[in-house]
Amino acid sequence: MTTSPDLALAVDPASAEPVFAQICHDLRRQVEEGSLAAGTRLPSTRALANQLGLAVNTVAKAYRTLEAEGVIEGRGRLGTFVRDQSGSQAQQAASAFVTQMRALGVSQEEAAELLRRVWTA
């Protein structure tokens, strides 16, 4: 287990992209590039909020979003960790789909609807 107490994250409060989404984007990128390896323990929401000068709820929302996407996992009192992204071929295909949809600016709801339509066609 690796610990990453000080993540190299940059947020721009003046950006049109919400701050929690900027955190998600940056953490996703670091995981995809391998600079955040599977098993890396992330800072607590409070510690990261203090580091970035943000509200704890903002960081918590980013962590919840990334957890729902399978990028990170909370292990209760043990902390929050980067999940192994290698997974099955189906998981890799789903990840590639999500990455493409995000790049196109498609929301999660729109992507799910597109997938449903194609699946049932």
Side-chain angles (χ1 to χ4, degrees), residues 61-74:
K61 184 174 183 179
Y63 276 19
R64 282 192 309 272
T65 301
L66 291 169
E67 189 166 8
E69 294 173 2
V71 176
I72 63 174
E73 65 180 330

Side-chain angles (χ1 to χ4, degrees), residues 74-98:
R75 298 181 189 163
R77 295 180 139 301
L78 293 176
T80 303
F81 297 82
V82 175
R83 290 189 65 183
D84 182 359
Q85 301 300 302
S86 58
S88 69
Q89 286 183 333
Q91 288 172 318
Q92 291 173 11
S95 181
F97 173 75
V98 168

Side-chain angles (χ1 to χ4, degrees), residues 40-55:
T40 300
R41 183 172 187 242
L42 299 177
S44 69
T45 53
R46 186 174 310 283
L48 187 56
N50 285 336
Q51 177 187 331
L52 298 174
L54 299 172

Side-chain angles (χ1 to χ4, degrees), residues 16-32:
E17 182 179 31
V19 173
F20 89 91
Q22 293 177 50
I23 294 168
C24 290
H25 176 80
D26 213 4
L27 286 174
R28 251 187 245 106
R29 179 187 53 76
Q30 290 183 45
V31 169
E32 289 168 3

